[in-house]
Amino acid sequence: EVQCRYVGNNGDGQEGAVLVSFMDVTHLEQAGQMRRDFVANVSHELRTPLTALMGFIETLRGPAREDAAARERFLQIMADEADRMNRLVGDLLSLNRVENEERIRPKEQIDLTGQLHSTLNSLRPLADDAGVELTLDAQDEPVLVTGDTDQLRQVFTNLVENAIKYGGSGGLVKVVLTLFDRDPAVREPSARVQIIDNGPGIDAVHLPRLTERFYRADNHRSRQLGGTGLGLAIVKHIVNRHRGRLRVESELGKGACFTVILPR
Ligand code: ADP
């Protein structure tokens, strides 16, 4: 299991020597090339399910016309492909919204403890289906942060969903909430949420690019699991908008740890 360590400014200079790779991905700049690639990527991501849909429509009109069983099967595939397109468009709209709002500070008072409890409760069926044990380690008292309720919920939902999806069967997903009076990174009272899994982890070469739109460490697995490749890009922009930090620590074969630090 990956040890989530928070190095901040108390690092001992040995960071490069340890096995675990970590990366503060909060403010990584998106290169110009990436922006140009975006339209091409969106088009490609939409065209793939669209091509499948068009193919199946032809098949239903022709060869499968008289075959009820085949028709049922193809309709199910078509529904899945339409669902994928729908999720992609939903994520694109979310991403667009959070990017545009990035300079406006959200102002709601949110109890993180309560929000984490309810987020985990709504993801429990997914964890059960995946054979993953999901635990929350947090104090009972409310922990107040200023923010946007729906957006913070989306951050934790995306990170825990990923931990469940990629962690794999028989896995453990642990969510840990810790408070700091003066966090080394944000230098003010803060709350730290860590989402830790013991799955296959992420190769260090992928960490710097992980929050780019459509970047996938394991292309095949992400698509198989229905990922849009936008989840972490959305997370990064929401965390930015809350003046927070996002950190990824992972080592291949040893799980992954995503850390969100929010000012209180
Ligand atoms: P996706 O929709 O593909 O899940 P994300 O932006 O949420 O897109 O994640 C980007 C990539 O990061 C994923 O495709 C996956 O390769 C990798 N990833 C994210 N979380 C984990 C995790 N907990 N364990 C292993 N790999 C992960």
Side-chain angles (χ1 to χ4, degrees), residues 101-102 104-106 148 151 237-243:
E101 286 173 343
E102 203 154 320
I104 313 162
R105 298 289 164 223
D148 180 313
Q151 288 188 1
H237 285 284
I238 296 176
V239 171
N240 266 344
R241 198 181 165 220
H242 286 77
R243 289 191 304 120

Side-chain angles (χ1 to χ4, degrees), residues 87 91 158-167 195-197 199-203 206 209-219 221-223 225-235 248 250 255-258:
R87 252 178 302 128
D91 276 359
N158 286 2
L159 293 176
V160 175
E161 251 176 27
N162 276 353
I164 295 170
K165 264 184 353 188
Y166 297 106
I195 295 95
I196 308 159
D197 70 67
I202 304 157
D203 194 313
H206 297 299
R209 300 194 58 194
L210 215 60
T211 57
E212 288 178 15
R213 308 142 165 175
F214 297 120
Y215 190 86
R216 293 160 164 114
D218 185 337
N219 213 338
R221 190 152 170 71
S222 162
R223 285 171 198 284
L225 296 169
T228 61
L230 295 175
L232 290 179
I234 293 170
V235 165
V248 189
S250 191
C257 170
F258 287 77

Side-chain angles (χ1 to χ4, degrees), residues 118-166:
S118 81
T119 304
L120 262 63
N121 281 340
S122 54
L123 289 174
R124 215 166 283 287
L126 183 75
D128 290 345
D129 281 351
V132 166
E133 190 185 328
L134 185 58
T135 65
L136 174 63
D137 180 355
Q139 54 274 79
D140 294 327
E141 307 87 68
V143 171
L144 292 183
V145 295
T146 307
D148 180 313
T149 309
D150 294 339
Q151 288 188 1
L152 285 184
R153 173 180 288 273
Q154 178 152 34
V155 164
F156 302 126
T157 302
N158 286 2
L159 293 176
V160 175
E161 251 176 27
N162 276 353
I164 295 170
K165 264 184 353 188
Y166 297 106

